Amino acid sequence: MSTFDLFADTPDPQGKASTLSIVEKIQNLRALLHHHGHCYYTLDSPEIPDTEYDKLFRQLQDLEAQHPELQSADSPTQRIGGRVLDTFASVRHRIPMLSIRTETDTESSGAQAFDARVRRELGLDELAPPVAYVAELKFDGLAMSLRYEQGALVNAATRGDGESGEDVTANIRTIGQIPLRLKQGPSLAIPAVLEVRGEVFMRRDDFDALNERQRARIAAGAKSEKTFVNPRNAAAGAVRQLDSGIAAQRPLSFFAYGLGDVTPATDGGPTFSTHYEMLQAFKVWGFPVAEQIQCVQGAQGLVTYHQHIAQTRDRLSFDIDGVVYKVNSLALQTQLGFVTREPRWAVAHKFPAQEELTTVLGIDVQVGRTGKLTPVAKLSPVFVGGVTVTNATLHNEDEARRKDVRVGDTVIVRRAGDVIPEVVSVLLDKRVGDAPPFCMPHSCPVCGSLAVREEGEADYRCTGGLFCSAQRKQAILHFAQRRAVEVEGLGEKLVDQLVDSNIVKTLPDLYRLGFAGLAQLDRMAEKSAQNIVAALEASKPTTLPRFLFGLGIRHVGEATAKELARHFGSLDRVMDASEDALLQVNDVGPTVAHSLLTFFSQPHNREVVEQLRACGLHWPEGEPAFQVPQPLAGQTFVLTGSLPTLSRDQAKELLEAQGAKVAGSVSKKTNYIVAGADAGSKLDKARELGIAILDEEGLRNLLAKLQADQATSSTNESKP
Ligand code: IVH
């Protein structure tokens, strides 16, 4: 829809030469703003710049101010809030808002138990085909029922006790993603009455930004302000704000997942036969529906979904606390019915909580590989994110001060996926005793060298270098890790022993230990010593990227090491590269270049490299890639879904070898999308943007063609 479709006449509020009536102008502006609001908030794909939207918005505001009799509750101008209530009115739910049974076990048995119950209730024997389910995310927010009459939002209510909730309409209107008017679809009528149910929540980035703003307000002296403990609490606080002007400043989001009261099909209401069909209709009417929704078959489908979401939940931009399984067929849902207050056709399968409360037993300062000092809270053991946690990082001096964590405090600990557990915040009202605030030491707690915090840096660093045994230990562990040179069995305990007894001072010392060197250690069994010797031997044939990464040069992670190896082809060329040459490498900027130059300008670092080579470490070297043609340089690819034979990493490697960039998300800059089975929203977006779409075969053909082109051009070049 372009501005012109709806606004053929001049939108000038004074309407000098206008042929449209004020009523029509207002209607047109509202329709236009509804459309662009939907594109911006729900589809995440704006069609006009923000300034243009603001201009239209102000025109409508002006017209409505001049004609208050034309004001309407579903006007986009009503989103900015402003009403202040004494209390919320109570709303009786015409269809109760039920809760669902929860399974909390972490294994697949929750899904299997649910499927078994459903099959038993439906009288399906083993030979009957699998039941079709819809698997969804369980959003960690608060349930909301949105009532539309004749297509307009008339009421929004919290769940309350399930029978009646609170009328929070004024606050809910401020949520840009919630349509104030239902959108008309091509073959889907708008029912006279429609109650859409779903979850109001706060995205993590919105939550962080909100807390940032709250901290600034508190620092500026606003005594009544506070920071929020987690996105759920922040969302609940915003929804229950009596001043909708304040609610409007708290960025909330919404996902639709269910139906309440609705005009029956016999009276012209919708005729869905499955839950999935209903969710698609919600999208047409303008509601956000989570893209992770999946139709699956039987218990196995549920188990696979649960595992997939458990592994990927940390990449979501919002918190979930589990997944929800629902029988897809609405006829079967009716047949299954309810037990007490829970439907038999749905179950929530929760994940272990990622945040828990515990107490701080002490605060230690740890020294990392690059000398970085990290304050770490020692905790009373707590089960969080599926493991028992006893340490949580406080990151650095500023963070530790900001959170003001003290010994004895009750704190919220978060462990999300494989990320290091962290202290999120202190429950100040639970503070007892008078422990002093934490202070960062100005000398290294391990070697006593001076610790300094350079200007513009967040971290204190020990200046002891490899004199500091903590740094030496970490450097060895880094080198020996699986992603670097990989010395199996060389773990923390053994490295502690080797460094503390002064047997190993540098990396090459490891390779000179031999069986005798290891066997002399306390508690070292003969067999273990043999295993370590064998592992050291097995680590010698390696690759250039692994070796470069293993050296532990600051700012040189795995990806940079790969780029360096690909670009230069040999270690000597990397070691001797000038700043200009380094800056030519993909993703190498001045900081990385400087770090590499500093590292290789130190004779003792070059000496370590030479000695490692002398000890037998070796890797294949090749031609520098900057001389190899890069036909896909400047082209951006996005990979989505699973390809029939290539893994993501393999496809990425093939493309990168030709100079292509492989990005994580689709944008106007994307040149190609390579899509496999179960490709989701990225593929939809690529289609919308008209981006070239390849399957695995298409990708292989493209690569083969490039190879053929190179072959002909190099034969041409070699001709006299
Ligand atoms: S369906 C009759 N689907 O979990 C079924 N609930 O007790 C009604 N929730 O507080 C709920 N994500 O707010 C459903 N995809 C989802 C959900 C979901 C989160 C919440 C809901 C309620 C609780 C279920």
Side-chain angles (χ1 to χ4, degrees), residues 361-378:
L361 305 176
I363 302 178
D364 279 3
V365 174
Q366 290 182 353
V367 187
R369 177 170 58 82
T370 56
K372 180 180 157 186
L373 304 191
T374 307
V376 175
K378 301 271 145 189

Side-chain angles (χ1 to χ4, degrees), residues 84-347:
V84 182
L85 304 175
D86 293 332
T87 165
F88 295 111
S90 170
V91 180
R92 195 161 184 79
H93 301 300
R94 290 177 213 213
I95 306 279
M97 286 181 82
L98 302 175
S99 64
I100 31 181
R101 182 190 164 110
T102 302
E103 306 273 354
T104 38
D105 57 351
T106 51
E107 299 305 320
S108 54
S109 52
Q112 268 147 0
F114 171 61
D115 180 59
R117 269 201 312 278
V118 166
R119 293 183 72 88
R120 199 177 48 241
E121 295 291 341
L122 293 175
L124 299 174
D125 64 19
E126 279 156 32
L127 297 174
V131 175
Y133 296 103
V134 174
E136 301 178 2
L137 303 181
K138 184 170 186 318
F139 312 107
D140 198 7
L142 47 148
M144 191 63 56
S145 184
L146 307 172
R147 184 173 177 89
Y148 292 80
E149 289 175 8
Q150 314 307 330
L153 175 69
V154 291
N155 177 282
T158 60
R159 176 164 178 264
D161 62 5
E163 295 294 332
S164 51
E166 287 177 318
D167 180 347
V168 289
T169 318
N171 294 341
I172 294 307
R173 273 191 209 293
T174 68
I175 304 178
Q177 286 187 329
I178 292 183
L180 299 178
R181 270 215 143 266
L182 298 179
K183 277 165 66 81
Q184 178 76 61
S187 54
L188 187 67
I190 289 179
V193 169
L194 175 72
E195 273 179 22
V196 170
R197 287 172 178 179
E199 198 90 343
V200 170
F201 63 96
M202 195 176 281
R203 289 163 49 110
R204 285 192 206 126
D205 53 352
D206 286 333
F207 168 73
D208 290 339
L210 171 64
N211 263 354
E212 195 69 31
R213 288 200 298 276
Q214 291 297 97
R215 275 193 289 276
R217 282 190 188 140
I218 294 165
K223 293 220 171 58
S224 57
E225 298 290 357
K226 56 165 200 159
T227 53
F228 299 95
V229 168
N230 58 36
R232 214 200 87 80
N233 285 21
V239 165
R240 300 204 67 258
Q241 255 299 325
L242 289 166
D243 179 345
S244 62
I246 296 180
Q249 293 163 25
R250 308 265 167 91
L252 295 173
S253 299
F254 179 79
F255 277 130
Y257 56 62
L259 194 65
D261 193 15
V262 63
T263 309
T266 44
D267 291 341
T271 52
F272 314 122
S273 57
T274 62
H275 179 75
Y276 187 76
E277 224 181 283
M278 181 182 82
L279 294 175
Q280 299 313 309
F282 287 170
K283 279 203 226 173
V284 174
W285 284 323
F287 296 94
V289 174
E291 63 180 58
Q292 290 78 9
I293 275 172
Q294 237 175 58
C295 288
V296 301
Q297 299 290 324
Q300 191 48 50
L302 299 176
V303 171
T304 309
Y305 183 80
H306 182 267
Q307 284 168 349
H308 171 67
I309 299 296
Q311 279 161 14
T312 51
R313 73 190 280 210
D314 299 322
R315 284 184 240 149
L316 296 171
S317 55
F318 46 85
D319 284 350
I320 57 171
D321 56 353
V323 290
V324 179
Y325 312 135
K326 297 173 183 173
V327 170
N328 193 21
S329 155
L330 298 184
L332 292 185
Q333 284 190 7
T334 312
Q335 194 181 328
L336 284 160
F338 298 86
V339 244
T340 56
R341 318 235 10 98
E342 294 169 348
R344 283 202 193 88
W345 46 264
V347 78

